[in-house]
């Protein structure tokens, strides 16, 4: 049991560290739960419990550094709650398998676009808040919230890419705004898992503490070192999500 907890806490720290910077932490933490023998439904619920704790601190860190535009996202947050709740309910009715091919291609496109589009995300070119931007942000919140509740892989990468490509943020501000949306969908899903009794708190609480530490360290490094530090990690995690989805489809 001691070795199991050391393994899960270490994986949780690493997952939260990566997730606070570029998203994709679930690629590390969820397989760790399954490898440790946690039943799938409890692995999902417990992972959501622990990761939401880390995500909260990461969001708080970005907010304190003024890397989140709350005015832009004032309607996106409640839309994300609605989308995530509908996504979790839908996943109980519809199989997820048909999404894997589509998502794997899209996440690869995002990663390759970032590789070959020189200078993308290095400078913050966001200008003013307009009604169109607020409405688009609300649509993004609802859509990605639904996706995160229903399926999940690559949510952070998609959000960061959208904030860079369409809102013209740099990587650091894109990560901050994406983290607020991602945290909102996470906590919504967490509540639903908790209501269904799918969280192992004996495992989740100690892992959550290490994920909070990992998120704090990752967020501080990202804010201190800026977009050039985030870019390679973002590309790596995008490709990792693609590989994971392809592997799932072929096994």
């Amino acid at each position: 049991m001691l070795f199991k907890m050391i393994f899960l806490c270490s994986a949780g720290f690493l997952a939260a560290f990566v997730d606070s910077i570029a998203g994709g932490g679930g690629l590390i933490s969820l397989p760790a739960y399954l490898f440790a023998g946690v039943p799938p439904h409890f692995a999902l619920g417990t992972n959501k419990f622990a990761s939401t704790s880390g995500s909260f601190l990461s969001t708080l860190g970005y907010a304190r550094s003024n890397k989140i535009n709350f005015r832009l996202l004032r309607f996106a947050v409640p839309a994300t709650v609605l989308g995530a709740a509908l996504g979790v309910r839908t996943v109980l009715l519809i199989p997820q398998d048909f999404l894997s091919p589509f998502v794997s291609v899209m996440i690869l496109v995002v990663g390759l676009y970032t590789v070959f589009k020189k200078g993308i995300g290095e400078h913050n070119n966001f200008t003013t808040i307009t009604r169109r931007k607020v409405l688009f942000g609300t649509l993004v919140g609802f859509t990605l919230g639904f996706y995160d509740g229903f399926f999940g892989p690559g949510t952070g990468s998609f959000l960061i890419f959208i904030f860079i490509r369409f809102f013209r943020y740099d990587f650091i501000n894109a990560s901050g705004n994406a983290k607020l949306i991602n945290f909102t969908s996470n906590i919504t899903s967490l509540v639903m898992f908790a209501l269904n009794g799918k969280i192992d708190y004996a495992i989740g609480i100690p892992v959550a503490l290490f994920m909070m530490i990992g998120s704090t360290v990752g967020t501080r490094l990202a804010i201190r070192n800026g977009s050039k530090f985030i870019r390679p990690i973002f590309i790596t995690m995008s490709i990792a999500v693609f590989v994971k989805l392809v592997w799932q489809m072929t096994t």
Side-chain angles (χ1 to χ4, degrees), residues 32-47:
Y33 283 107
L34 296 172
F35 181 78
V38 180
H41 285 148
F42 278 91
L44 289 168
T46 307
N47 180 60

Side-chain angles (χ1 to χ4, degrees), residues 33 43-54 186 190 193-194 199-209 211:
Y33 283 107
L44 289 168
T46 307
N47 180 60
K48 190 64 69 176
F49 169 78
S51 62
T52 300
S53 303
N186 279 343
L190 167 62
F193 277 117
I199 299 175
D200 187 334
Y201 293 100
I203 294 176
I205 291 174
V207 175
L209 293 175
M211 294 193 85

Side-chain angles (χ1 to χ4, degrees), residues 61-91:
Y62 281 113
R64 286 175 172 172
S65 298
N66 296 316
K67 303 302 182 184
I68 299 177
N69 193 327
F70 289 99
R71 285 186 60 217
L72 176 66
L73 302 180
R74 61 187 182 274
F75 298 120
V77 169
T80 302
V81 172
L82 177 60
L86 289 174
V88 173
R89 289 184 64 87
T90 304
V91 77

Side-chain angles (χ1 to χ4, degrees), residues 178-200:
K179 184 56 65 178
L180 176 62
I181 298 296
N182 215 172
F183 168 70
T184 302
S185 65
N186 279 343
I187 198 167
T188 303
S189 301
L190 167 62
V191 169
M192 300 195 74
F193 277 117
L195 291 174
N196 285 279
K198 299 300 182 183
I199 299 175
D200 187 334

Side-chain angles (χ1 to χ4, degrees), residues 9-33:
C9 289
S10 300
F13 174 89
L14 179 61
F17 175 84
V18 170
D19 197 71
S20 66
I21 299 169
L27 290 178
I28 300 169
S29 58
L30 187 56
Y33 283 107

Side-chain angles (χ1 to χ4, degrees), residues 26-194:
L27 290 178
I28 300 169
S29 58
L30 187 56
Y33 283 107
L34 296 172
F35 181 78
V38 180
H41 285 148
F42 278 91
L44 289 168
T46 307
N47 180 60
K48 190 64 69 176
F49 169 78
S51 62
T52 300
S53 303
S55 181
F56 170 73
L57 282 188
S58 182
T59 303
L60 188 62
Y62 281 113
R64 286 175 172 172
S65 298
N66 296 316
K67 303 302 182 184
I68 299 177
N69 193 327
F70 289 99
R71 285 186 60 217
L72 176 66
L73 302 180
R74 61 187 182 274
F75 298 120
V77 169
T80 302
V81 172
L82 177 60
L86 289 174
V88 173
R89 289 184 64 87
T90 304
V91 77
L92 301 176
L93 304 174
I94 301 175
Q96 305 174 20
D97 296 344
F98 77 95
L99 270 180
S100 290
F102 174 74
V103 174
S104 62
V105 172
M106 289 301 299
I107 199 70
L108 179 63
V109 169
V110 166
L112 292 177
Y113 183 88
T114 306
V115 170
F116 292 108
K117 185 69 172 180
K118 301 300 181 183
I120 185 173
E122 291 184 3
H123 303 287
N124 187 21
N125 295 315
F126 181 84
T127 53
T128 58
I129 297 175
T130 64
R131 181 177 296 180
R132 180 176 296 180
K133 288 179 180 178
V134 172
L135 289 174
F136 182 61
T138 302
L139 178 62
V140 169
F142 177 81
T143 304
L144 270 298
F146 179 89
Y147 170 74
D148 194 30
F150 181 75
F151 191 60
T155 301
S157 299
F158 285 134
L159 284 167
I160 291 172
F161 178 79
I162 288 170
F163 279 111
I164 291 173
R165 178 65 181 81
F166 297 102
F167 291 94
R168 303 187 65 78
Y169 278 114
D170 58 3
F171 269 103
I172 184 66
N173 284 278
S175 294
N177 285 285
K179 184 56 65 178
L180 176 62
I181 298 296
N182 215 172
F183 168 70
T184 302
S185 65
N186 279 343
I187 198 167
T188 303
S189 301
L190 167 62
V191 169
M192 300 195 74
F193 277 117

Side-chain angles (χ1 to χ4, degrees), residues 216-250:
T216 301
V217 173
T219 302
R220 288 179 178 176
L221 283 174
I223 293 171
R224 183 184 306 162
N225 296 294
S227 297
K228 290 185 178 180
F229 174 72
I230 299 174
R231 178 186 168 97
I233 299 176
F234 172 79
I235 293 171
T236 300
M237 295 313 297
S238 297
I239 295 174
V241 172
F242 168 74
V243 171
K244 176 179 181 290
L245 291 171
V246 171
W247 180 79
Q248 286 179 334
M249 288 188 291
T250 55

